[in-house]
Amino acid sequence: MRAAPLIPHAFSSFGKAGRSLGAAALVAALAAGCQSRSPETTGSIGAVSTPRTASRGEVDNLGAKYSADPADVGVAMRYASALRATNQRTQAVAVLQQTALRNPKNRAVLAAYGKSLADAGRFAEAAEVLQNAHTPAQPDWRVLSAQGTVADQLGDHVRAQGFYEAALKIVPNEPTVLSNLGLSYLLGRQLDQAETTLRLAADQPHADARVRQNLALALGLRGRFDEAETVLRRDLTPEAAAANIVSLRAVVARQSSEKAAKTVSRELPRAVIAAPRT
């Protein structure tokens, strides 16, 4: 069975932002809307691994265990993970905050807490926590990737790319990190580097549909819609792929028309001033 459409819901989610902001906002919104919830991957903010799911029963069961013994780190971590999987981000942050206070040197807890803060949009706090989740002597590539996504969300794309490159030294050609790096290049309007990097990511044996989706986005932003649709058809039905491309064309066209309108509007004041009175 082919995957469900990946892009349309993201386009609808950033439609208003796309009308007033440039391509960088478009990419950021798509990354946030289409990737999974984990901030190990841009966009996504997002991980390109399979998103975790949790049932209501699992959440309730873990919640009861956590209430009985909030000092149990394993239970707290699993409970927070289940909360994140069910979009209860504020609650997940609260659980991990308390766990981190009890275990200030537990790097796994700090990493989870930092990612949870990023999930909740608290990027400055996430950056501070994540920097303590590993050390230069013992770097964790997943934490580095998470730091990169947070830096991208804070608008520091050069710093973000440094984190991704550091992660790639540990796990060369890891598709999730390459995908993040490619999206970071898109955010920085470095379209050539973005396409090259995302092609490399998509070529990796363990790349999944969301990595290929990011490549399709890069191609679409360059106006190569037919090629983007071919990429999407690897994971979607022809109808779903075509629908995604229609949405992407509309967003790109809107961005182009707004850019032209802004150029004209900059000239209008002088034309009005120079016009004779009637």
Side-chain angles (χ1 to χ4, degrees), residues 144-161:
L144 286 166
S145 189
Q147 288 179 283
T149 66
V150 169
D152 269 327
Q153 290 290 336
L154 290 170
D156 193 343
H157 308 309
V158 173
R159 182 172 172 80
Q161 290 156 24

Side-chain angles (χ1 to χ4, degrees), residues 187-206:
L187 288 164
R189 300 178 185 270
Q190 299 167 275
L191 299 187
D192 289 340
Q193 296 96 318
E195 181 182 341
T196 298
T197 303
L198 288 167
R199 283 190 182 280
L200 178 59
D203 285 343
Q204 300 309 307
H206 301 298

Side-chain angles (χ1 to χ4, degrees), residues 44-101:
S44 217
I45 259 182
V48 181
S49 57
T50 303
R52 163 141 161 60
T53 59
S55 66
R56 178 65 188 178
E58 179 185 358
V59 174
D60 290 344
N61 182 50
L62 288 168
K65 291 181 178 179
Y66 174 74
S67 296
D69 185 7
D72 187 319
V73 174
V75 168
M77 294 277 280
R78 292 195 298 275
Y79 181 39
S81 178
L83 288 169
R84 290 174 66 193
T86 52
N87 294 325
Q88 298 181 69
R89 302 176 190 178
T90 301
Q91 297 92 319
V93 168
V95 170
L96 289 169
Q97 181 182 46
Q98 293 303 311
T99 306
L101 289 172

Side-chain angles (χ1 to χ4, degrees), residues 112-236:
Y113 180 35
K115 294 172 188 177
S116 187
L117 285 166
D119 273 352
R122 295 163 59 176
F123 301 116
E125 294 171 81
E128 184 176 351
V129 171
L130 287 170
Q131 71 180 355
N132 295 314
H134 62 162
T135 66
Q138 293 182 304
D140 183 325
W141 71 267
R142 293 177 180 83
V143 175
L144 286 166
S145 189
Q147 288 179 283
T149 66
V150 169
D152 269 327
Q153 290 290 336
L154 290 170
D156 193 343
H157 308 309
V158 173
R159 182 172 172 80
Q161 290 156 24
F163 284 127
Y164 300 137
E165 288 163 359
L168 288 168
K169 290 179 181 178
I170 302 171
V171 283
N173 291 335
E174 164 58 41
T176 61
V177 182
L178 286 170
S179 184
N180 282 350
L181 179 58
L183 284 178
S184 185
Y185 283 139
L186 279 183
L187 288 164
R189 300 178 185 270
Q190 299 167 275
L191 299 187
D192 289 340
Q193 296 96 318
E195 181 182 341
T196 298
T197 303
L198 288 167
R199 283 190 182 280
L200 178 59
D203 285 343
Q204 300 309 307
H206 301 298
D208 74 1
R210 280 156 291 186
V211 176
R212 291 185 287 273
Q213 170 198 331
N214 290 340
L215 172 58
L217 170 63
L219 294 169
L221 289 176
R222 306 196 76 175
R224 286 150 58 187
F225 299 107
D226 290 344
E227 193 174 351
E229 185 170 352
T230 298
V231 172
L232 288 176
R233 283 188 179 216
R234 291 187 57 183
D235 305 290
L236 305 178

